[in-house]
Amino acid sequence: MKRRSFLIIILLCVLTQGILALPKVHVIATGGTIAGTSSGSGYTAGQVTIDNILAAVPDLSKIAELDYEQFCNIGSQDMNETIWLSLSKRINELFATGKYDGIVITHGTDTMEETAYFLNLTTRSDKPVVLVGSMRPSDAPDADGPKNLIVAVKAAADKKNVGKEVMCCLNQKLFEASGVFKNNSRDVDAFAAIKPDYTMPHGSKVGFDVTEVEKLPNVGIIYGYAGCSTLPLQAFVDANFEGVVLVGVGDGNFRADVQKIAEKAVAHGMKIVRSTRCPHGGVYTEGGEVEDLELGFIAAGSLNAQKARILLMLALTQTKDTDQIRQYFNKPIALQTVKK
Ligand code: DGL
């Protein structure tokens, strides 16, 4: 009888442990205002380390068991492709351990949409990845970082978010990577989202495998305006960039002189993607003023220029075929692995 009671107690302990065990979330810190401190008339991003950021939000320990690492500590205006590649590989490595239910990345808001979109295309697990930032520095009396961190860790720990796109958290709201953009340069509620042509939740069967990629192809962006100079595009051509995203006026249109240079560049192998200055409406091959199929241009669809650049860079690790690249812009991408 005693042996039976003992076994029942052990079983109950194990069950209780399992039920009460908190989700395990890994936090990767990259900097931003959420790690910023007030300075002079404003603030400096990327000053506080992640241990101190998390220590300032004790309620996090009731939500998840946290591991953390300081990956870098920069204003996200200094984010770049090299860090993206390392960050994506690190996330894949962490999820491959099987130890984590989700990952949170603290990040500046200026380029968060770009990092989120890159990670959505290149991370292999379908578990939640949530980038989180703030618009006020960590030492502000009304700092918004702590509340955003709580929302982000909860989202990363929530199994209901398995199978979603990489998310961004700001103003205690969550946005998926394909649609989110920074809509206001100063407001706490700085992010908004368009309805993307398609969503593609990150996972093992979609996107681009960057395991073997050490450097991404050079792709630039040019902003269009009345009387737009031809110099920037010519400079990218002269520098042998593999691609350029043209941020056109209206429905992705450019001044005739600029378009002529773009047509010549395509003939010499450069990939040209047409995007738009307009925050809504996108750019499509049909129904516009530019004959993409005839001129060899690629329409960005609903992607803004900075995300179109990311997709073109990754596409160029796979193919130089314009029609194949157009497909990447039109629909979810079956996993593409870089051939050695
Ligand atoms: N330097 C900007 C950045 O790191 C500050 C903006 C912010 O993080 O909210 O993106």
Side-chain angles (χ1 to χ4, degrees), residues 290-327:
V290 180
E291 294 299 331
D292 289 326
L293 299 182
E294 183 189 315
L295 299 172
F297 296 160
I298 299 160
S302 62
L303 290 180
N304 62 24
Q306 49 272 31
K307 291 179 185 177
R309 171 176 175 266
I310 290 167
L311 181 50
L312 181 56
M313 282 194 291
L314 288 167
L316 287 166
T317 66
Q318 296 297 317
T319 179
K320 305 288 186 243
D321 179 276
T322 300
D323 285 330
Q324 176 57 52
I325 295 172
R326 286 191 180 112
Q327 292 310 310

PDB file of all heavy atoms in Angstrom, residues 290-327:
ATOM      1  N   VAL A 290       3.880  51.184 -67.194  1.00  0.00           N
ATOM      2  CA  VAL A 290       5.191  50.629 -67.545  1.00  0.00           C
ATOM      3  C   VAL A 290       5.027  49.166 -67.970  1.00  0.00           C
ATOM      4  O   VAL A 290       4.394  48.381 -67.264  1.00  0.00           O
ATOM      5  CB  VAL A 290       6.166  50.706 -66.339  1.00  0.00           C
ATOM      6  CG1 VAL A 290       7.534  50.128 -66.703  1.00  0.00           C
ATOM      7  CG2 VAL A 290       6.299  52.149 -65.856  1.00  0.00           C
ATOM      8  N   GLU A 291       5.577  48.826 -69.122  1.00  0.00           N
ATOM      9  CA  GLU A 291       5.449  47.449 -69.646  1.00  0.00           C
ATOM     10  C   GLU A 291       6.570  46.583 -69.062  1.00  0.00           C
ATOM     11  O   GLU A 291       7.588  46.306 -69.703  1.00  0.00           O
ATOM     12  CB  GLU A 291       5.541  47.476 -71.178  1.00  0.00           C
ATOM     13  CG  GLU A 291       4.384  48.195 -71.859  1.00  0.00           C
ATOM     14  CD  GLU A 291       3.043  47.522 -71.554  1.00  0.00           C
ATOM     15  OE1 GLU A 291       3.027  46.291 -71.319  1.00  0.00           O
ATOM     16  OE2 GLU A 291       2.028  48.254 -71.514  1.00  0.00           O
ATOM     17  N   ASP A 292       6.346  46.118 -67.809  1.00  0.00           N
ATOM     18  CA  ASP A 292       7.393  45.336 -67.114  1.00  0.00           C
ATOM     19  C   ASP A 292       7.840  44.131 -67.925  1.00  0.00           C
ATOM     20  O   ASP A 292       9.048  43.860 -68.044  1.00  0.00           O
ATOM     21  CB  ASP A 292       6.861  44.852 -65.758  1.00  0.00           C
ATOM     22  CG  ASP A 292       6.715  45.989 -64.750  1.00  0.00           C
ATOM     23  OD1 ASP A 292       7.544  46.925 -64.791  1.00  0.00           O
ATOM     24  OD2 ASP A 292       5.775  45.947 -63.943  1.00  0.00           O
ATOM     25  N   LEU A 293       6.886  43.388 -68.459  1.00  0.00           N
ATOM     26  CA  LEU A 293       7.255  42.124 -69.139  1.00  0.00           C
ATOM     27  C   LEU A 293       8.116  42.422 -70.359  1.00  0.00           C
ATOM     28  O   LEU A 293       9.082  41.729 -70.639  1.00  0.00           O
ATOM     29  CB  LEU A 293       5.980  41.350 -69.524  1.00  0.00           C
ATOM     30  CG  LEU A 293       5.086  40.944 -68.343  1.00  0.00           C
ATOM     31  CD1 LEU A 293       3.875  40.151 -68.816  1.00  0.00           C
ATOM     32  CD2 LEU A 293       5.876  40.140 -67.303  1.00  0.00           C
ATOM     33  N   GLU A 294       7.796  43.530 -71.032  1.00  0.00           N
ATOM     34  CA  GLU A 294       8.570  43.870 -72.246  1.00  0.00           C
ATOM     35  C   GLU A 294       9.954  44.418 -71.878  1.00  0.00           C
ATOM     36  O   GLU A 294      10.968  44.104 -72.487  1.00  0.00           O
ATOM     37  CB  GLU A 294       7.765  44.943 -73.003  1.00  0.00           C
ATOM     38  CG  GLU A 294       8.331  45.406 -74.322  1.00  0.00           C
ATOM     39  CD  GLU A 294       7.533  46.621 -74.835  1.00  0.00           C
ATOM     40  OE1 GLU A 294       6.282  46.573 -74.772  1.00  0.00           O
ATOM     41  OE2 GLU A 294       8.182  47.614 -75.209  1.00  0.00           O
ATOM     42  N   LEU A 295      10.001  45.208 -70.769  1.00  0.00           N
ATOM     43  CA  LEU A 295      11.252  45.894 -70.401  1.00  0.00           C
ATOM     44  C   LEU A 295      12.120  45.070 -69.447  1.00  0.00           C
ATOM     45  O   LEU A 295      13.238  45.440 -69.130  1.00  0.00           O
ATOM     46  CB  LEU A 295      10.923  47.250 -69.772  1.00  0.00           C
ATOM     47  CG  LEU A 295      10.164  48.226 -70.680  1.00  0.00           C
ATOM     48  CD1 LEU A 295       9.725  49.462 -69.892  1.00  0.00           C
ATOM     49  CD2 LEU A 295      11.029  48.617 -71.887  1.00  0.00           C
ATOM     50  N   GLY A 296      11.553  43.959 -68.938  1.00  0.00           N
ATOM     51  CA  GLY A 296      12.341  43.109 -68.027  1.00  0.00           C
ATOM     52  C   GLY A 296      12.358  43.607 -66.594  1.00  0.00           C
ATOM     53  O   GLY A 296      13.195  43.196 -65.784  1.00  0.00           O
ATOM     54  N   PHE A 297      11.387  44.498 -66.250  1.00  0.00           N
ATOM     55  CA  PHE A 297      11.304  44.976 -64.862  1.00  0.00           C
ATOM     56  C   PHE A 297      10.467  44.000 -64.037  1.00  0.00           C
ATOM     57  O   PHE A 297       9.720  43.182 -64.575  1.00  0.00           O
ATOM     58  CB  PHE A 297      10.644  46.364 -64.797  1.00  0.00           C
ATOM     59  CG  PHE A 297      11.412  47.469 -65.476  1.00  0.00           C
ATOM     60  CD1 PHE A 297      10.773  48.639 -65.859  1.00  0.00           C
ATOM     61  CD2 PHE A 297      12.774  47.353 -65.735  1.00  0.00           C
ATOM     62  CE1 PHE A 297      11.467  49.676 -66.491  1.00  0.00           C
ATOM     63  CE2 PHE A 297      13.480  48.378 -66.368  1.00  0.00           C
ATOM     64  CZ  PHE A 297      12.814  49.537 -66.742  1.00  0.00           C
ATOM     65  N   ILE A 298      10.581  44.133 -62.695  1.00  0.00           N
ATOM     66  CA  ILE A 298       9.838  43.276 -61.765  1.00  0.00           C
ATOM     67  C   ILE A 298       8.983  44.171 -60.874  1.00  0.00           C
ATOM     68  O   ILE A 298       9.500  45.174 -60.336  1.00  0.00           O
ATOM     69  CB  ILE A 298      10.814  42.447 -60.900  1.00  0.00           C
ATOM     70  CG1 ILE A 298      11.678  41.535 -61.767  1.00  0.00           C
ATOM     71  CG2 ILE A 298      10.060  41.635 -59.850  1.00  0.00           C
ATOM     72  CD1 ILE A 298      12.951  41.063 -61.097  1.00  0.00           C
ATOM     73  N   ALA A 299       7.710  43.883 -60.761  1.00  0.00           N
ATOM     74  CA  ALA A 299       6.830  44.706 -59.907  1.00  0.00           C
ATOM     75  C   ALA A 299       6.894  44.205 -58.463  1.00  0.00           C
ATOM     76  O   ALA A 299       6.841  43.002 -58.193  1.00  0.00           O
ATOM     77  CB  ALA A 299       5.388  44.624 -60.418  1.00  0.00           C
ATOM     78  N   ALA A 300       6.993  45.144 -57.521  1.00  0.00           N
ATOM     79  CA  ALA A 300       7.189  44.784 -56.099  1.00  0.00           C
ATOM     80  C   ALA A 300       5.908  44.297 -55.441  1.00  0.00           C
ATOM     81  O   ALA A 300       5.938  43.785 -54.320  1.00  0.00           O
ATOM     82  CB  ALA A 300       7.743  45.974 -55.333  1.00  0.00           C
ATOM     83  N   GLY A 301       4.770  44.479 -56.116  1.00  0.00           N
ATOM     84  CA  GLY A 301       3.501  44.097 -55.473  1.00  0.00           C
ATOM     85  C   GLY A 301       3.265  44.979 -54.257  1.00  0.00           C
ATOM     86  O   GLY A 301       3.530  46.185 -54.287  1.00  0.00           O
ATOM     87  N   SER A 302       2.844  44.370 -53.150  1.00  0.00           N
ATOM     88  CA  SER A 302       2.497  45.159 -51.949  1.00  0.00           C
ATOM     89  C   SER A 302       3.720  45.504 -51.102  1.00  0.00           C
ATOM     90  O   SER A 302       3.612  46.253 -50.126  1.00  0.00           O
ATOM     91  CB  SER A 302       1.526  44.359 -51.085  1.00  0.00           C
ATOM     92  OG  SER A 302       2.161  43.148 -50.657  1.00  0.00           O
ATOM     93  N   LEU A 303       4.895  44.964 -51.463  1.00  0.00           N
ATOM     94  CA  LEU A 303       6.083  45.183 -50.627  1.00  0.00           C
ATOM     95  C   LEU A 303       6.594  46.616 -50.779  1.00  0.00           C
ATOM     96  O   LEU A 303       6.731  47.113 -51.905  1.00  0.00           O
ATOM     97  CB  LEU A 303       7.192  44.203 -51.016  1.00  0.00           C
ATOM     98  CG  LEU A 303       6.975  42.733 -50.668  1.00  0.00           C
ATOM     99  CD1 LEU A 303       8.175  41.913 -51.139  1.00  0.00           C
ATOM    100  CD2 LEU A 303       6.750  42.527 -49.170  1.00  0.00           C
ATOM    101  N   ASN A 304       6.916  47.248 -49.647  1.00  0.00           N
ATOM    102  CA  ASN A 304       7.546  48.571 -49.750  1.00  0.00           C
ATOM    103  C   ASN A 304       8.993  48.362 -50.221  1.00  0.00           C
ATOM    104  O   ASN A 304       9.480  47.223 -50.276  1.00  0.00           O
ATOM    105  CB  ASN A 304       7.459  49.345 -48.425  1.00  0.00           C
ATOM    106  CG  ASN A 304       8.188  48.647 -47.277  1.00  0.00           C
ATOM    107  OD1 ASN A 304       9.108  47.864 -47.487  1.00  0.00           O
ATOM    108  ND2 ASN A 304       7.786  48.950 -46.054  1.00  0.00           N
ATOM    109  N   ALA A 305       9.676  49.452 -50.536  1.00  0.00           N
ATOM    110  CA  ALA A 305      10.990  49.348 -51.186  1.00  0.00           C
ATOM    111  C   ALA A 305      12.001  48.601 -50.326  1.00  0.00           C
ATOM    112  O   ALA A 305      12.755  47.750 -50.826  1.00  0.00           O
ATOM    113  CB  ALA A 305      11.512  50.744 -51.496  1.00  0.00           C
ATOM    114  N   GLN A 306      11.981  48.863 -49.010  1.00  0.00           N
ATOM    115  CA  GLN A 306      12.992  48.241 -48.156  1.00  0.00           C
ATOM    116  C   GLN A 306      12.774  46.733 -48.029  1.00  0.00           C
ATOM    117  O   GLN A 306      13.729  45.966 -47.900  1.00  0.00           O
ATOM    118  CB  GLN A 306      13.046  48.912 -46.781  1.00  0.00           C
ATOM    119  CG  GLN A 306      11.732  49.104 -46.055  1.00  0.00           C
ATOM    120  CD  GLN A 306      11.009  50.406 -46.388  1.00  0.00           C
ATOM    121  OE1 GLN A 306      11.123  50.928 -47.508  1.00  0.00           O
ATOM    122  NE2 GLN A 306      10.244  50.938 -45.438  1.00  0.00           N
ATOM    123  N   LYS A 307      11.506  46.291 -48.102  1.00  0.00           N
ATOM    124  CA  LYS A 307      11.258  44.843 -48.067  1.00  0.00           C
ATOM    125  C   LYS A 307      11.486  44.223 -49.458  1.00  0.00           C
ATOM    126  O   LYS A 307      12.001  43.111 -49.563  1.00  0.00           O
ATOM    127  CB  LYS A 307       9.841  44.551 -47.576  1.00  0.00           C
ATOM    128  CG  LYS A 307       9.636  44.884 -46.100  1.00  0.00           C
ATOM    129  CD  LYS A 307       8.223  44.593 -45.657  1.00  0.00           C
ATOM    130  CE  LYS A 307       7.991  45.040 -44.223  1.00  0.00           C
ATOM    131  NZ  LYS A 307       6.581  44.830 -43.798  1.00  0.00           N
ATOM    132  N   ALA A 308      11.139  44.962 -50.506  1.00  0.00           N
ATOM    133  CA  ALA A 308      11.390  44.470 -51.871  1.00  0.00           C
ATOM    134  C   ALA A 308      12.892  44.251 -52.069  1.00  0.00           C
ATOM    135  O   ALA A 308      13.324  43.273 -52.692  1.00  0.00           O
ATOM    136  CB  ALA A 308      10.848  45.462 -52.891  1.00  0.00           C
ATOM    137  N   ARG A 309      13.699  45.145 -51.492  1.00  0.00           N
ATOM    138  CA  ARG A 309      15.167  44.997 -51.594  1.00  0.00           C
ATOM    139  C   ARG A 309      15.616  43.710 -50.937  1.00  0.00           C
ATOM    140  O   ARG A 309      16.462  42.980 -51.474  1.00  0.00           O
ATOM    141  CB  ARG A 309      15.837  46.195 -50.920  1.00  0.00           C
ATOM    142  CG  ARG A 309      17.349  46.049 -50.774  1.00  0.00           C
ATOM    143  CD  ARG A 309      17.999  47.278 -50.194  1.00  0.00           C
ATOM    144  NE  ARG A 309      19.423  47.067 -49.968  1.00  0.00           N
ATOM    145  CZ  ARG A 309      19.954  46.668 -48.804  1.00  0.00           C
ATOM    146  NH1 ARG A 309      19.169  46.461 -47.736  1.00  0.00           N
ATOM    147  NH2 ARG A 309      21.257  46.473 -48.682  1.00  0.00           N
ATOM    148  N   ILE A 310      15.044  43.404 -49.755  1.00  0.00           N
ATOM    149  CA  ILE A 310      15.425  42.177 -49.033  1.00  0.00           C
ATOM    150  C   ILE A 310      15.052  40.948 -49.853  1.00  0.00           C
ATOM    151  O   ILE A 310      15.851  40.028 -50.023  1.00  0.00           O
ATOM    152  CB  ILE A 310      14.746  42.155 -47.649  1.00  0.00           C
ATOM    153  CG1 ILE A 310      15.359  43.229 -46.749  1.00  0.00           C
ATOM    154  CG2 ILE A 310      14.856  40.771 -47.002  1.00  0.00           C
ATOM    155  CD1 ILE A 310      14.565  43.495 -45.480  1.00  0.00           C
ATOM    156  N   LEU A 311      13.843  40.939 -50.403  1.00  0.00           N
ATOM    157  CA  LEU A 311      13.426  39.777 -51.198  1.00  0.00           C
ATOM    158  C   LEU A 311      14.300  39.646 -52.449  1.00  0.00           C
ATOM    159  O   LEU A 311      14.704  38.539 -52.810  1.00  0.00           O
ATOM    160  CB  LEU A 311      11.948  39.903 -51.570  1.00  0.00           C
ATOM    161  CG  LEU A 311      11.357  38.740 -52.378  1.00  0.00           C
ATOM    162  CD1 LEU A 311      11.666  37.393 -51.750  1.00  0.00           C
ATOM    163  CD2 LEU A 311       9.838  38.927 -52.543  1.00  0.00           C
ATOM    164  N   LEU A 312      14.645  40.757 -53.083  1.00  0.00           N
ATOM    165  CA  LEU A 312      15.495  40.684 -54.281  1.00  0.00           C
ATOM    166  C   LEU A 312      16.895  40.184 -53.920  1.00  0.00           C
ATOM    167  O   LEU A 312      17.454  39.328 -54.618  1.00  0.00           O
ATOM    168  CB  LEU A 312      15.570  42.050 -54.967  1.00  0.00           C
ATOM    169  CG  LEU A 312      16.404  42.106 -56.252  1.00  0.00           C
ATOM    170  CD1 LEU A 312      15.903  41.075 -57.267  1.00  0.00           C
ATOM    171  CD2 LEU A 312      16.376  43.522 -56.849  1.00  0.00           C
ATOM    172  N   MET A 313      17.448  40.648 -52.801  1.00  0.00           N
ATOM    173  CA  MET A 313      18.781  40.172 -52.378  1.00  0.00           C
ATOM    174  C   MET A 313      18.755  38.651 -52.190  1.00  0.00           C
ATOM    175  O   MET A 313      19.617  37.929 -52.688  1.00  0.00           O
ATOM    176  CB  MET A 313      19.196  40.832 -51.059  1.00  0.00           C
ATOM    177  CG  MET A 313      19.683  42.247 -51.183  1.00  0.00           C
ATOM    178  SD  MET A 313      20.530  42.829 -49.698  1.00  0.00           S
ATOM    179  CE  MET A 313      19.181  42.914 -48.540  1.00  0.00           C
ATOM    180  N   LEU A 314      17.739  38.159 -51.464  1.00  0.00           N
ATOM    181  CA  LEU A 314      17.662  36.709 -51.219  1.00  0.00           C
ATOM    182  C   LEU A 314      17.377  35.949 -52.513  1.00  0.00           C
ATOM    183  O   LEU A 314      17.950  34.885 -52.760  1.00  0.00           O
ATOM    184  CB  LEU A 314      16.594  36.418 -50.162  1.00  0.00           C
ATOM    185  CG  LEU A 314      16.982  36.818 -48.744  1.00  0.00           C
ATOM    186  CD1 LEU A 314      15.772  36.789 -47.819  1.00  0.00           C
ATOM    187  CD2 LEU A 314      18.091  35.913 -48.192  1.00  0.00           C
ATOM    188  N   ALA A 315      16.517  36.515 -53.364  1.00  0.00           N
ATOM    189  CA  ALA A 315      16.214  35.864 -54.650  1.00  0.00           C
ATOM    190  C   ALA A 315      17.487  35.690 -55.471  1.00  0.00           C
ATOM    191  O   ALA A 315      17.730  34.627 -56.071  1.00  0.00           O
ATOM    192  CB  ALA A 315      15.193  36.698 -55.424  1.00  0.00           C
ATOM    193  N   LEU A 316      18.350  36.717 -55.439  1.00  0.00           N
ATOM    194  CA  LEU A 316      19.580  36.675 -56.246  1.00  0.00           C
ATOM    195  C   LEU A 316      20.606  35.680 -55.707  1.00  0.00           C
ATOM    196  O   LEU A 316      21.579  35.360 -56.380  1.00  0.00           O
ATOM    197  CB  LEU A 316      20.184  38.086 -56.344  1.00  0.00           C
ATOM    198  CG  LEU A 316      19.421  39.041 -57.260  1.00  0.00           C
ATOM    199  CD1 LEU A 316      19.877  40.484 -57.034  1.00  0.00           C
ATOM    200  CD2 LEU A 316      19.582  38.639 -58.727  1.00  0.00           C
ATOM    201  N   THR A 317      20.367  35.152 -54.496  1.00  0.00           N
ATOM    202  CA  THR A 317      21.249  34.059 -54.019  1.00  0.00           C
ATOM    203  C   THR A 317      20.830  32.745 -54.677  1.00  0.00           C
ATOM    204  O   THR A 317      21.533  31.750 -54.586  1.00  0.00           O
ATOM    205  CB  THR A 317      21.171  33.871 -52.482  1.00  0.00           C
ATOM    206  OG1 THR A 317      19.844  33.414 -52.135  1.00  0.00           O
ATOM    207  CG2 THR A 317      21.504  35.135 -51.738  1.00  0.00           C
ATOM    208  N   GLN A 318      19.656  32.765 -55.345  1.00  0.00           N
ATOM    209  CA  GLN A 318      19.099  31.542 -55.931  1.00  0.00           C
ATOM    210  C   GLN A 318      19.146  31.535 -57.442  1.00  0.00           C
ATOM    211  O   GLN A 318      19.381  30.515 -58.063  1.00  0.00           O
ATOM    212  CB  GLN A 318      17.608  31.402 -55.517  1.00  0.00           C
ATOM    213  CG  GLN A 318      17.388  31.236 -54.063  1.00  0.00           C
ATOM    214  CD  GLN A 318      18.016  29.966 -53.544  1.00  0.00           C
ATOM    215  OE1 GLN A 318      17.916  28.898 -54.165  1.00  0.00           O
ATOM    216  NE2 GLN A 318      18.689  30.065 -52.428  1.00  0.00           N
ATOM    217  N   THR A 319      18.816  32.689 -58.040  1.00  0.00           N
ATOM    218  CA  THR A 319      18.613  32.696 -59.489  1.00  0.00           C
ATOM    219  C   THR A 319      18.841  34.093 -60.064  1.00  0.00           C
ATOM    220  O   THR A 319      18.723  35.083 -59.358  1.00  0.00           O
ATOM    221  CB  THR A 319      17.180  32.248 -59.838  1.00  0.00           C
ATOM    222  OG1 THR A 319      17.005  32.284 -61.251  1.00  0.00           O
ATOM    223  CG2 THR A 319      16.148  33.175 -59.187  1.00  0.00           C
ATOM    224  N   LYS A 320      19.148  34.120 -61.380  1.00  0.00           N
ATOM    225  CA  LYS A 320      19.226  35.402 -62.095  1.00  0.00           C
ATOM    226  C   LYS A 320      18.046  35.477 -63.081  1.00  0.00           C
ATOM    227  O   LYS A 320      17.972  36.389 -63.883  1.00  0.00           O
ATOM    228  CB  LYS A 320      20.539  35.498 -62.895  1.00  0.00           C
ATOM    229  CG  LYS A 320      21.802  35.280 -62.060  1.00  0.00           C
ATOM    230  CD  LYS A 320      22.093  36.450 -61.134  1.00  0.00           C
ATOM    231  CE  LYS A 320      23.419  36.256 -60.437  1.00  0.00           C
ATOM    232  NZ  LYS A 320      23.272  36.141 -58.959  1.00  0.00           N
ATOM    233  N   ASP A 321      17.155  34.468 -62.996  1.00  0.00           N
ATOM    234  CA  ASP A 321      16.043  34.401 -63.945  1.00  0.00           C
ATOM    235  C   ASP A 321      14.926  35.346 -63.516  1.00  0.00           C
ATOM    236  O   ASP A 321      14.333  35.174 -62.438  1.00  0.00           O
ATOM    237  CB  ASP A 321      15.519  32.952 -64.014  1.00  0.00           C
ATOM    238  CG  ASP A 321      14.341  32.825 -64.961  1.00  0.00           C
ATOM    239  OD1 ASP A 321      13.206  33.093 -64.508  1.00  0.00           O
ATOM    240  OD2 ASP A 321      14.571  32.543 -66.145  1.00  0.00           O
ATOM    241  N   THR A 322      14.623  36.335 -64.338  1.00  0.00           N
ATOM    242  CA  THR A 322      13.648  37.377 -63.977  1.00  0.00           C
ATOM    243  C   THR A 322      12.265  36.784 -63.715  1.00  0.00           C
ATOM    244  O   THR A 322      11.597  37.161 -62.746  1.00  0.00           O
ATOM    245  CB  THR A 322      13.575  38.430 -65.102  1.00  0.00           C
ATOM    246  OG1 THR A 322      14.876  38.999 -65.258  1.00  0.00           O
ATOM    247  CG2 THR A 322      12.573  39.520 -64.777  1.00  0.00           C
ATOM    248  N   ASP A 323      11.841  35.838 -64.552  1.00  0.00           N
ATOM    249  CA  ASP A 323      10.505  35.248 -64.334  1.00  0.00           C
ATOM    250  C   ASP A 323      10.438  34.503 -63.001  1.00  0.00           C
ATOM    251  O   ASP A 323       9.432  34.586 -62.283  1.00  0.00           O
ATOM    252  CB  ASP A 323      10.151  34.289 -65.484  1.00  0.00           C
ATOM    253  CG  ASP A 323       9.784  35.058 -66.747  1.00  0.00           C
ATOM    254  OD1 ASP A 323       9.257  36.206 -66.592  1.00  0.00           O
ATOM    255  OD2 ASP A 323      10.040  34.564 -67.850  1.00  0.00           O
ATOM    256  N   GLN A 324      11.532  33.805 -62.651  1.00  0.00           N
ATOM    257  CA  GLN A 324      11.560  33.097 -61.352  1.00  0.00           C
ATOM    258  C   GLN A 324      11.495  34.121 -60.207  1.00  0.00           C
ATOM    259  O   GLN A 324      10.758  33.938 -59.246  1.00  0.00           O
ATOM    260  CB  GLN A 324      12.846  32.272 -61.223  1.00  0.00           C
ATOM    261  CG  GLN A 324      13.006  31.567 -59.865  1.00  0.00           C
ATOM    262  CD  GLN A 324      11.848  30.647 -59.535  1.00  0.00           C
ATOM    263  OE1 GLN A 324      11.494  29.795 -60.344  1.00  0.00           O
ATOM    264  NE2 GLN A 324      11.226  30.854 -58.370  1.00  0.00           N
ATOM    265  N   ILE A 325      12.211  35.208 -60.349  1.00  0.00           N
ATOM    266  CA  ILE A 325      12.197  36.237 -59.300  1.00  0.00           C
ATOM    267  C   ILE A 325      10.818  36.855 -59.188  1.00  0.00           C
ATOM    268  O   ILE A 325      10.313  37.099 -58.086  1.00  0.00           O
ATOM    269  CB  ILE A 325      13.257  37.314 -59.580  1.00  0.00           C
ATOM    270  CG1 ILE A 325      14.658  36.694 -59.497  1.00  0.00           C
ATOM    271  CG2 ILE A 325      13.136  38.479 -58.589  1.00  0.00           C
ATOM    272  CD1 ILE A 325      15.791  37.608 -59.930  1.00  0.00           C
ATOM    273  N   ARG A 326      10.142  37.069 -60.339  1.00  0.00           N
ATOM    274  CA  ARG A 326       8.769  37.589 -60.296  1.00  0.00           C
ATOM    275  C   ARG A 326       7.873  36.666 -59.468  1.00  0.00           C
ATOM    276  O   ARG A 326       7.026  37.134 -58.695  1.00  0.00           O
ATOM    277  CB  ARG A 326       8.194  37.706 -61.714  1.00  0.00           C
ATOM    278  CG  ARG A 326       8.741  38.863 -62.519  1.00  0.00           C
ATOM    279  CD  ARG A 326       7.953  39.097 -63.803  1.00  0.00           C
ATOM    280  NE  ARG A 326       8.491  40.211 -64.563  1.00  0.00           N
ATOM    281  CZ  ARG A 326       9.097  40.072 -65.744  1.00  0.00           C
ATOM    282  NH1 ARG A 326       9.228  38.862 -66.302  1.00  0.00           N
ATOM    283  NH2 ARG A 326       9.581  41.119 -66.382  1.00  0.00           N
ATOM    284  N   GLN A 327       8.116  35.357 -59.575  1.00  0.00           N
ATOM    285  CA  GLN A 327       7.290  34.408 -58.801  1.00  0.00           C
ATOM    286  C   GLN A 327       7.460  34.619 -57.298  1.00  0.00           C
ATOM    287  O   GLN A 327       6.518  34.525 -56.526  1.00  0.00           O
ATOM    288  CB  GLN A 327       7.671  32.954 -59.175  1.00  0.00           C
ATOM    289  CG  GLN A 327       7.307  32.559 -60.586  1.00  0.00           C
ATOM    290  CD  GLN A 327       5.860  32.886 -60.922  1.00  0.00           C
ATOM    291  OE1 GLN A 327       4.944  32.545 -60.175  1.00  0.00           O
ATOM    292  NE2 GLN A 327       5.649  33.610 -62.015  1.00  0.00           N
TER     293      GLN A 327
END
